[in-house]
Amino acid sequence: MWNSPKVGILGGGQLGRMLVESANRLNIQANVLDVENSPAKQISAHDGHVTGSFKERESVRKLAESCDVITAEIEHVDTYALEEVASKVRVEPSWQAIRTIQNKFNQKEHLRKYGIPMADHRELQNNTPEELAQIGEQLGYPMMLKSKTMAYDGRGNFRVNSKADIPEALEALKDRPLYAEKWAYFKMELAVMVIKTKDDVLSYPTVETVQEDSICKTVYAPARNVPDAINQKAQALARKAVSAFEGKGAFGVEMFLLEDNSLMLCELASRIHNSGHWTMEGCALSQFDSHIRAILDLPIPPKSLELLQPSIMLNIIGGATPDSHLKATEAALSIPNATIHLYSKGAAKPGRKMGHVTVTAATMHEAETMIQPLIDVVDEMRA
Ligand code: ATP
Ligand code: MG
Ligand code: MG
């Protein structure tokens, strides 16, 4: 029997907004915790939203009072607040999972126990040049210096090409908790959306992600020229990694495909993810639909996660001028089979994700041909 559950969402950005779209279609009320008029709130008129921050304990308490289950569109939330409210309201995925995952170093230490392959890495204790130089000796150059926390869109990563780069790298990431990672010589980056339900771990097909300046630019579903054996292997690895954490919902798993066709985990996120936006047009159930269903214990027919037709997703990112993203959107209007999603975030800044476009077609080649004019426009407007 349908009992109109209320879902609380920490964060009202574009991911929250697309979750609300899914909840709306099922008459499920989604109460969003974020600043007023955030993208998710704009498409959901009711009095259950909470004004505040997902980093404030008081706001999380307030949200918990009005919800049956709480989830998050971002991993950088106050997990101590979630731990506290977990005695009164369901938190999905678990606050323990979010706490471990939000610190990329702890995430990797945890996953290591489960035998998940990853690039070799070392923790920094004092963030000194001497310490990093010593790590450089061990890992070799180039290596990636990374912030353990608050990382997104590559903001928190610094490529250290040689010992000479060390002062600049430490200056760029100063005052942050750091670790360094051995360079991964990948031939392709892959990603898998995993859906953890009360008694199952499901996955969407493996996709190819293309990052430019460490920000996701395009996603190809399925991954191009990747044999089915690798597609299956990547899905299995992603499910195994996500199984190491407690709780229900969508998890985004990023991986490197190396020259010898072996796979390495890059990182995972305890939430719906940019690499899964293509599922909105590419599958019967989108990652957002599946997340809502998973946290509410509603059925998810595994067949609904299969690829219906090849899809390419392109992010519309703030570019060189404040209206770059509008020009890109205008160009997208004339692309056949293109679905445009704008996030209503207001002013664009270089590197800010303003929307995305997904093109579907009978074949990947056809989808590539159709989206190419838009990729050309976007390339011209890069910041
Ligand atoms: P996200 O926005 O996905 O959360 P993030 O800021 O957490 O990104 P990562 O996913 O760790 O950062 O890295 C961003 C990108 O940097 C990767 O997708 C990859 O292209 C590159 N990268 C990260 N680690 C390595 C590595 N060890 N070797 C080579 N390239 C790397
Ligand atoms: Mg990340
Ligand atoms: Mg990443």
Side-chain angles (χ1 to χ4, degrees):
M1 187 61 199
W2 194 247
N3 67 353
S4 281
K6 287 195 178 67
V7 173
I9 307 175
L10 274 66
Q14 71 266 24
L15 299 173
R17 181 179 169 102
M18 291 183 271
L19 266 185
V20 169
E21 286 179 28
S22 288
N24 281 350
R25 276 188 269 109
L26 291 180
N27 282 357
I28 290 166
Q29 182 174 322
N31 296 337
V32 174
L33 165 57
D34 209 328
V35 294
E36 267 180 69
N37 205 39
S38 58
K41 292 183 181 178
Q42 292 170 24
I43 59 162
S44 169
H46 57 71
D47 58 10
H49 298 308
V50 176
T51 305
S53 165
F54 43 76
K55 295 188 174 174
E56 290 165 4
R57 192 160 301 200
E58 201 44 54
S59 304
V60 176
R61 276 190 197 128
K62 197 163 166 212
L63 182 74
E65 279 165 20
S66 64
C67 299
D68 299 290
V69 55
I70 282 191
T71 189
E73 63 140 24
I74 178 168
E75 59 272 32
H76 308 303
V77 298
D78 180 351
T79 60
Y80 293 90
L82 287 178
E83 178 177 3
E84 181 193 307
V85 301
S87 55
K88 300 185 204 89
V89 62
R90 282 181 286 139
V91 176
E92 301 293 355
S94 69
W95 58 264
Q96 292 95 331
I98 300 175
R99 186 175 296 167
T100 304
I101 288 168
Q102 70 181 188
N103 181 311
K104 288 164 75 168
F105 181 77
N106 292 349
Q107 174 192 133
K108 285 177 178 160
E109 289 300 289
H110 181 75
L111 286 169
R112 192 210 298 273
K113 293 183 225 149
Y114 293 80
I116 304 296
M118 285 169 287
D120 195 9
H121 52 269
R122 300 275 187 283
E123 182 176 27
L124 276 80
Q125 305 286 351
N126 319 303
N127 293 9
T128 60
E130 297 73 32
E131 185 183 24
L132 188 53
Q134 201 173 17
I135 291 174
E137 298 278 305
Q138 293 163 1
L139 299 179
Y141 295 96
M143 62 179 169
M144 193 71 103
L145 185 63
K146 294 190 172 189
S147 175
K148 293 178 182 174
T149 58
M150 300 301 294
Y152 70 100
D153 291 345
R155 294 174 220 191
N157 284 1
F158 196 103
R159 178 180 167 144
V160 186
N161 287 316
S162 69
K163 199 176 167 190
D165 288 348
I166 285 179
E168 195 189 344
L170 288 173
E171 179 59 28
L173 298 175
K174 71 165 182 262
D175 302 328
R176 299 177 75 166
L178 301 176
Y179 72 107
E181 213 167 84
K182 194 177 169 76
W183 197 257
Y185 289 95
F186 55 81
K187 60 178 178 185
M188 194 185 263
E189 291 192 76
L190 300 177
V192 172
M193 285 309 307
V194 174
I195 306 294
K196 210 153 164 282
T197 68
K198 66 178 180 344
D199 36 36
D200 231 336
V201 184
L202 306 169
S203 51
Y204 284 93
T206 305
V207 301
E208 170 188 355
T209 66
V210 178
Q211 269 63 234
E212 214 168 69
D213 300 329
S214 283
I215 303 183
C216 176
K217 179 187 184 187
T218 45
V219 173
Y220 296 83
R224 293 172 298 177
N225 306 315
V226 167
D228 191 53
I230 293 178
N231 171 13
Q232 297 301 336
K233 208 169 72 169
Q235 289 190 56
L237 175 61
R239 289 193 302 261
K240 183 175 171 189
V242 170
S243 300
F245 297 97
E246 286 297 316
K248 293 175 266 194
F251 291 74
V253 183
E254 299 172 24
M255 284 165 277
F256 300 130
L257 178 64
L258 305 180
E259 290 297 337
D260 64 356
N261 281 341
S262 64
L263 291 164
M264 242 182 207
L265 182 118
C266 169
E267 62 163 348
L268 63 77
S270 52
R271 54 170 169 78
I272 53 270
H273 195 267
N274 196 172
S275 66
H277 291 357
W278 66 276
T279 58
M280 295 173 94
E281 287 78 26
C283 303
L285 285 181
S286 75
Q287 60 165 339
F288 305 99
D289 298 331
S290 296
H291 182 74
I292 294 282
R293 290 186 184 206
I295 65 175
L296 293 173
D297 295 338
L298 298 172
I300 301 176
K303 195 163 178 51
S304 302
L305 308 192
E306 288 175 10
L307 182 97
L308 293 175
Q309 52 183 348
S311 311
I312 304 175
M313 190 244 29
L314 172 76
N315 276 331
I316 298 180
I317 296 173
T321 62
D323 65 346
S324 301
H325 65 291
L326 299 177
K327 289 189 183 146
T329 306
E330 215 170 86
L333 289 169
S334 303
I335 302 285
N337 287 7
T339 305
I340 304 172
H341 299 261
L342 293 181
Y343 305 151
S344 194
K345 284 180 160 180
K349 284 186 222 135
R352 189 171 197 204
K353 289 175 180 163
M354 303 305 289
H356 76 267
V357 175
T358 302
V359 171
T360 58
T363 64
M364 180 56 84
H365 179 69
E366 207 183 318
E368 285 177 302
T369 307
M370 288 195 289
I371 204 169
Q372 192 53 50
L374 182 59
I375 293 181
D376 292 341
V377 170
V378 164
D379 284 346
E380 241 165 70
M381 289 167 185
R382 273 187 69 196

